[in-house]
Amino acid sequence: MNNIIISVKNLVKNYGNFNAVKNISFDVYEGEIFGLLGPNGAGKSTTLEIIETLRDKTSGEIIVDGINLDTNPGAIKKIIGVQLQTSGFYPGLNLMELIQLFAGLYNQKVEPMEFLKLVNLEDKAKNKFKELSGGQKQRFSIATTLINKPKIIFLDEPTTGLDPQARRNLWDLIKDIKRKGTTVIITTHYMDEAEQLCDRIAIMDEGKIISLNSPDKMIDELVATGFERPKQVKLANLEDVFIHLTGKDLRES
Ligand code: ADP
Ligand code: MG
């Protein structure tokens, strides 16, 4: 059976008079990758930040791993990993020192090199964050979410702006994290990515959840309405060409 690790009930968020999240309810199952999709302004980040205890809600009930957000937000913080805005990384420190710093903040004993290995950045241990490529930056910031050995990690558009290799690379990393038993909540604007990664997705629009299902079932439902895609005449697309030509291994991504 699926254990519910996050339960959101009747969540509402108003910014002044503006109703950004309109009474949404959903559950996230333990061990799944749950995707939150939707156009810009749909309310995805607001919803995530409320669950992460970083933003106040207007009303509704949120339970994370049995802990009520209203009564014990501190306990929720301890069991989740949140990707920081990259500007939060002290510019003077190298990657090893940053991991150590975070470990200190979380009161964890860690072996920095192990974390860097996890995200394939051992050879950048002595580099500063700003010296990394876009993909490396994302991988490093995902590593920092894992330091407190969280049960759940939150990734808000982790692949936006990355090249195709770096994106695939991050998919592997995220699948790896799931394989080790961590629940992942992710937002993305890339539908191929959601299809690849997510066990279930919720599609948000203007503050409401308009569909929630596995990608496969959502597609089947659309097809069942008689929808048909314009016939695909070629067996590959331009992205396939790009990946084929430039390789899909790690490289500098
Ligand atoms: P998404 O992540 O889906 O793009 P957001 O949750 O960031 O959407 O934003 C949802 C809506 O709430 C948007 O219309 C946005 O402009 C508004 N919003 C977000 N943060 C604030 C804020 N701090 N003050 C006022 N409005 C905000
Ligand atoms: Mg957002």
Side-chain angles (χ1 to χ4, degrees), residues 182-211:
T182 309
T183 306
V184 180
I185 303 192
I186 184 172
T187 73
T188 177
H189 288 301
Y190 301 108
M191 295 307 124
D192 59 335
E193 181 166 302
E195 207 176 330
Q196 271 275 328
L197 284 180
C198 298
D199 296 292
R200 294 186 310 139
I201 56 183
I203 300 185
M204 278 188 88
D205 193 21
E206 295 182 353
K208 292 191 207 124
I209 291 180
I210 54 175
S211 184

Side-chain angles (χ1 to χ4, degrees), residues 44-45 156-157:
K44 306 178 296 294
S45 297
D156 198 351
E157 295 189 35

Side-chain angles (χ1 to χ4, degrees), residues 20-243:
V21 176
K22 299 172 179 158
N23 199 6
I24 64 170
S25 300
F26 63 95
D27 294 326
V28 176
Y29 300 143
E30 192 165 19
E32 75 174 339
I33 302 182
F34 186 87
L36 209 47
L37 311 185
N40 285 324
K44 306 178 296 294
S45 297
T46 298
T47 302
L48 291 195
E49 285 165 17
I50 290 169
I51 304 170
E52 292 162 1
T53 78
L54 301 177
R55 207 180 269 276
D56 289 333
K57 58 183 161 61
T58 302
S59 61
E61 186 191 65
I62 292 174
I63 312 277
V64 180
D65 198 32
I67 307 161
N68 192 315
L69 180 103
D70 290 327
T71 51
N72 205 351
I76 293 180
K77 269 192 195 124
K78 285 200 183 123
I79 58 154
I80 64 172
V82 176
Q83 240 187 325
L84 283 184
Q85 297 300 310
T86 51
S87 55
F89 295 126
Y90 290 84
L93 303 182
N94 68 35
L95 300 192
M96 265 175 80
E97 292 163 339
L98 281 170
I99 298 262
Q100 244 139 13
L101 174 76
F102 278 102
L105 294 176
Y106 289 126
N107 238 328
Q108 298 278 334
K109 275 208 171 54
V110 301
E111 188 47 63
M113 276 315 258
E114 254 167 48
F115 274 89
L116 294 178
K117 214 177 272 171
L118 207 64
V119 294
N120 260 303
L121 288 172
E122 310 97 286
D123 51 335
K124 299 286 174 185
K126 294 283 164 63
N127 285 87
K128 307 258 162 70
F129 182 75
K130 62 166 188 263
E131 295 163 350
L132 304 178
S133 71
Q136 291 167 340
K137 281 181 176 155
Q138 284 299 336
R139 293 212 304 277
F140 180 75
S141 86
I142 290 176
T144 65
T145 71
L146 299 171
I147 289 174
N148 62 334
K149 304 181 190 83
K151 291 190 175 176
I152 310 163
I153 63 167
F154 293 82
L155 307 174
D156 198 351
E157 295 189 35
T159 63
T160 294
L162 298 186
D163 70 42
Q165 268 98 3
R167 227 151 57 83
R168 277 164 177 70
N169 214 246
L170 226 59
W171 297 353
D172 290 341
L173 174 59
I174 293 166
K175 284 179 189 166
D176 237 39
I177 291 170
K178 171 188 160 160
R179 215 171 291 126
K180 288 174 186 153
T182 309
T183 306
V184 180
I185 303 192
I186 184 172
T187 73
T188 177
H189 288 301
Y190 301 108
M191 295 307 124
D192 59 335
E193 181 166 302
E195 207 176 330
Q196 271 275 328
L197 284 180
C198 298
D199 296 292
R200 294 186 310 139
I201 56 183
I203 300 185
M204 278 188 88
D205 193 21
E206 295 182 353
K208 292 191 207 124
I209 291 180
I210 54 175
S211 184
L212 195 163
N213 218 327
S214 68
D216 203 46
K217 293 229 173 71
M218 276 193 191
I219 294 167
D220 287 348
E221 277 173 13
L222 177 64
V223 170
T225 67
F227 178 92
E228 217 177 304
R229 208 190 226 192
K231 285 274 176 299
Q232 226 157 16
V233 284
K234 298 184 181 174
L235 292 175
N237 63 22
L238 190 58
E239 178 142 341
D240 296 324
V241 173
F242 181 91
I243 294 287

